[in-house]
Amino acid sequence: MPKVELSAVSKAFVTRDREVQALQPTDLAVEPQEFVALVGPSGCGKSTILNLIAGLLQPTGGTVRYNGAAVQGVNRAVGYMTQKDTLLPWRTAADNIRIALELKCRAGPRAEVEHRVAQMIDLVGLNGFEKHFPTELSGGMRKRVALARTLIYEPETLLMDEPFGALDAQLKLLMLDQLQTLTRQRRMTVLFVTHDLGEAITLADRVVVFSARPGRIRTIRTVELPRPRDVFRIRFTEAFAHLHESLWDELKDEVTRGTDV
Amino acid sequence: MSGTRDLTSPSPRGRGLGGAGFAVPDFQAFLSTPLGRSLARLLLALVLLAVWQYQPSDKLRFWMSGPIQIVARLWTWLLDGSLWGNVGSTLLAMSLGYVIGTSIGIALGLLFGLMPRLHRVLSPYITALYAMPKIALAPLFVIVLGIGIESKVALVAITVFFLVLNSTLDGVRNVDRDLVRALSVMGATHSEVIRKVLIPATLPWIFTGMRIAVRYAFTNTLLAELIASNSGIGFMIEYYSGVFDATGTYAAILVLVIMSVGLTELLTQIEARMSRGSAG
């Protein structure tokens, strides 16, 4: 049984009496522990799909199923790292990371909670910034706090919307490496939205290419690179270059169409 | 023109030239020192007080009294205890009304914020009552509650209530919905979302409302006492002017000035501490 299953799911938004089709009827099944990357031009409905799976939006048509059951209301089985980091501005970095473990559904002994927070801070490389407030952190640091906050409670499914967009190239590779290790180790299912094709190929089992608005799936490509992957070197292999080129051929028409160049 | 300005400016050159026959630049330079400023202020006050005290007209004396008489009256009040009773009465009415108005304002503000449909039903009434000058209700309070502390408390409470209610509502309305969604996806219950997002996000708005409300509470206590009451500083002003006792009236006003300055000073201190707190 697929972990996440979209059958004929479509979504239309009504703005100023005009209906905008964000997502055309789409079918997509994500298997347990699969890492799926969604790429495509902006406004192609990638984020809409994550919102539908998280239950923050209801589909206009079709059904979204999670573990075989239709998603109704907020889907608490997923961890969702949105494009905008939704950190609480009155909490320090450490307090933001801890918040999921403060909730009743995950309450644990204090010492263990603190231990896990320290572990996450270490993992995302924020040592020394535990007591800083979000306004005192750079964009990249805020992203890492948001990542740590999502990973700390080890949701079985991770939805990520351009999580590393604001990071510099070196740091991004480090984070990709950590993400790969962690999601494999904890057997997470991941849906990862990105505009960076290299990032998608490096991490994903399958890459889904979307067409420009109205969004629909243009092609799905399986990435046959062995795991674990060396995120620092894989980009220089021939298989990677080959895949990158053929996917870019698919993507570039859509990108030019989507941005009205 | 530029030459004139040069001479009067407190520049070192101007001071140097002062000895050569220009008295004006020297005086100006002295005024710009802290000591000079204080002395000038003191001098001004002494001149005004002297004019007030030694003006020759008996008719004016009846309406204006004199500084020495006023201070003497204040001293009598201090000794016989009537001052503390009335200051205490004003402060008590103000604090009680403030606490009651603030608590109900915060509670209802949060409630309406959480139940937007209820708020939408009631909002025309709230807007109408908010827009109305609450002082118009004072005579009504006096009829219903009498001239004791109750009617003062009621007027202060209702004024403070609307101020705090509106800033709390603004706060709840301005909570970032994405923060609420993020917590829900993490598995937060409704009450956890309220405790961890809505209330902390609304607190700065509530504090702003409470800070503004302090001055309104003070003014409205005074107004209530001036309209009808049997104790308080406002009552003293109203009473002594009613019996054409200028000395008593001015003495009471002097007490009021001291209280206002004290309150303003206190608020400035609190505000400074709060802004330091939010910065660090």
Side-chain angles (χ1 to χ4, degrees):
Chain A
M1 181 177 60
K3 193 94 209 158
V4 180
E5 191 178 15
L6 281 71
S7 1
V9 169
S10 65
K11 181 68 192 176
F13 293 101
V14 179
T15 48
R16 281 191 227 143
D17 307 325
R18 212 162 57 92
E19 207 185 58
V20 179
Q21 191 77 21
L23 191 65
Q24 287 193 334
T26 299
D27 296 294
L28 179 68
V30 178
E31 297 303 320
Q33 297 177 43
E34 196 181 11
F35 198 121
V36 173
L38 312 176
V39 296
S42 14
C44 69
K46 296 167 298 186
S47 304
T48 305
I49 286 187
L50 296 194
N51 279 326
L52 287 166
I53 297 170
L56 297 175
L57 288 177
Q58 301 308 314
T60 314
T63 331
V64 181
R65 284 196 187 79
Y66 188 84
N67 276 343
V71 173
Q72 275 167 340
V74 176
N75 182 357
R76 284 151 198 257
V78 303
Y80 189 4
M81 189 181 160
T82 49
Q83 205 168 344
K84 180 182 143 197
D85 62 69
T86 49
L87 302 179
L88 304 178
W90 54 85
R91 281 174 170 247
T92 61
D95 290 344
N96 262 294
I97 292 170
R98 189 190 303 106
I99 192 161
L101 302 183
E102 289 173 14
L103 303 178
K104 234 177 289 155
C105 55
R106 273 185 222 96
R110 204 184 155 78
E112 199 214 309
V113 168
E114 291 313 314
H115 176 67
R116 279 168 76 181
V117 171
Q119 240 179 358
M120 283 324 291
I121 287 171
D122 212 36
L123 181 74
V124 295
L126 281 173
N127 305 76
F129 291 95
E130 295 91 339
K131 294 213 159 67
H132 284 56
F133 287 92
T135 46
E136 299 164 341
L137 299 172
S138 70
M141 288 174 164
R142 292 167 61 110
K143 281 281 184 196
R144 279 139 71 195
V145 175
L147 178 68
R149 187 182 71 166
T150 313
L151 290 177
I152 196 169
Y153 65 97
E154 298 175 9
E156 55 171 20
T157 298
L158 205 52
L159 310 176
M160 309 179 94
D161 197 347
E162 297 190 10
F164 306 132
L167 303 189
D168 62 71
Q170 290 79 3
L171 190 59
K172 189 192 276 192
L173 287 178
L174 280 172
M175 299 303 296
L176 290 182
D177 189 40
Q178 296 283 16
L179 185 65
Q180 175 181 242
T181 314
L182 210 76
T183 52
R184 293 306 97 186
Q185 205 177 40
R186 312 272 154 88
R187 303 171 177 282
M188 290 177 178
T189 309
V190 186
L191 275 99
F192 187 95
V193 165
T194 178
H195 53 253
D196 181 342
L197 203 48
E199 200 173 276
I201 298 168
T202 304
L203 289 178
D205 299 311
R206 283 191 296 159
V207 177
V208 182
V209 180
F210 279 80
S211 73
R213 196 191 304 244
R216 58 181 179 77
I217 294 175
R218 182 179 166 124
T219 187
I220 300 181
R221 194 68 58 89
T222 306
V223 181
E224 306 277 11
L225 301 169
R227 287 197 188 270
R229 297 174 188 164
D230 182 345
V231 300
F232 305 98
R233 295 210 180 77
I234 196 166
R235 55 172 62 210
F236 305 117
T237 63
E238 204 171 317
F240 183 96
H242 186 71
L243 199 54
H244 194 283
E245 198 180 329
S246 82
L247 275 170
W248 175 245
D249 282 340
E250 298 276 354
L251 192 59
K252 75 171 180 233
D253 304 343
E254 301 302 337
V255 172
T256 46
R257 220 153 59 81
T259 50
D260 299 319
V261 172
Chain B
M1 280 312 277
S2 64
T4 323
R5 204 184 309 156
D6 235 352
L7 288 174
T8 51
S9 73
S11 68
R13 201 166 70 88
R15 201 179 293 181
L17 282 173
F22 292 97
V24 179
D26 252 353
F27 183 57
Q28 297 237 332
F30 179 63
L31 269 189
S32 66
T33 64
L35 178 69
R37 246 195 319 269
S38 306
L39 280 177
R41 272 183 200 145
L42 191 64
L43 190 68
L44 182 69
L46 285 175
V47 168
L48 288 176
L49 287 173
V51 169
W52 188 359
Q53 186 67 53
Y54 299 110
Q55 54 84 19
S57 159
D58 279 344
K59 210 170 178 181
L60 271 180
R61 168 83 52 237
F62 180 77
W63 296 114
M64 288 178 57
S65 184
I68 292 171
Q69 289 88 327
I70 291 168
V71 173
R73 179 68 65 89
L74 212 52
W75 186 246
T76 323
W77 287 349
L78 267 173
L79 292 183
D80 71 11
S82 62
L83 180 66
W84 298 124
N86 283 304
V87 169
S89 171
T90 298
L91 289 179
L92 180 67
M94 175 185 159
S95 333
L96 272 179
Y98 183 78
V99 169
I100 294 172
T102 306
S103 335
I104 303 178
I106 295 172
L108 279 189
L110 289 174
L111 183 74
F112 288 160
L114 295 173
M115 307 173 87
R117 269 176 290 257
L118 175 67
H119 177 237
R120 232 166 288 149
V121 171
L122 295 176
S123 73
Y125 302 109
I126 295 172
T127 312
L129 283 171
Y130 181 51
M132 185 190 69
K134 255 62 73 185
I135 189 69
L137 294 175
L140 184 71
F141 289 144
V142 172
I143 296 172
V144 178
L145 301 168
I147 58 168
I149 191 171
E150 294 90 343
S151 57
K152 290 193 254 180
V153 171
L155 182 69
V156 174
I158 197 164
T159 312
V160 170
F161 164 73
F162 279 105
L163 283 168
V164 175
L165 173 75
N166 274 294
S167 57
T168 308
L169 269 174
D170 283 343
V172 177
R173 260 197 295 266
N174 273 283
V175 172
D176 187 347
R177 296 295 133 186
D178 289 337
L179 301 185
V180 175
R181 279 190 208 109
L183 266 274
S184 310
V185 174
M186 277 180 203
T189 60
H190 197 57
S191 79
E192 280 172 331
V193 170
I194 293 172
R195 269 187 291 123
K196 295 200 182 287
V197 181
L198 282 173
I199 291 179
T202 311
L203 272 183
W205 297 77
I206 294 177
F207 284 144
T208 305
M210 286 174 67
R211 214 173 56 206
I212 296 168
V214 174
R215 294 179 211 279
Y216 278 85
F218 187 58
T219 312
N220 277 275
T221 314
L222 256 292
L223 286 173
E225 286 171 353
L226 286 171
I227 288 169
S229 70
N230 52 18
S231 64
I233 296 302
F235 162 73
M236 289 177 94
I237 295 171
E238 164 66 14
Y239 173 79
Y240 287 109
S241 65
V243 297
F244 295 98
D245 179 350
T247 309
T249 309
Y250 285 115
I253 290 175
L254 183 60
V255 174
L256 183 60
V257 170
I258 295 165
M259 284 173 77
S260 308
V261 171
L263 190 66
T264 307
E265 197 56 37
L266 185 74
L267 277 178
T268 314
Q269 295 277 328
I270 293 171
E271 277 164 32
R273 194 158 305 165
M274 270 173 63
S275 63
R276 252 207 312 281
S278 67

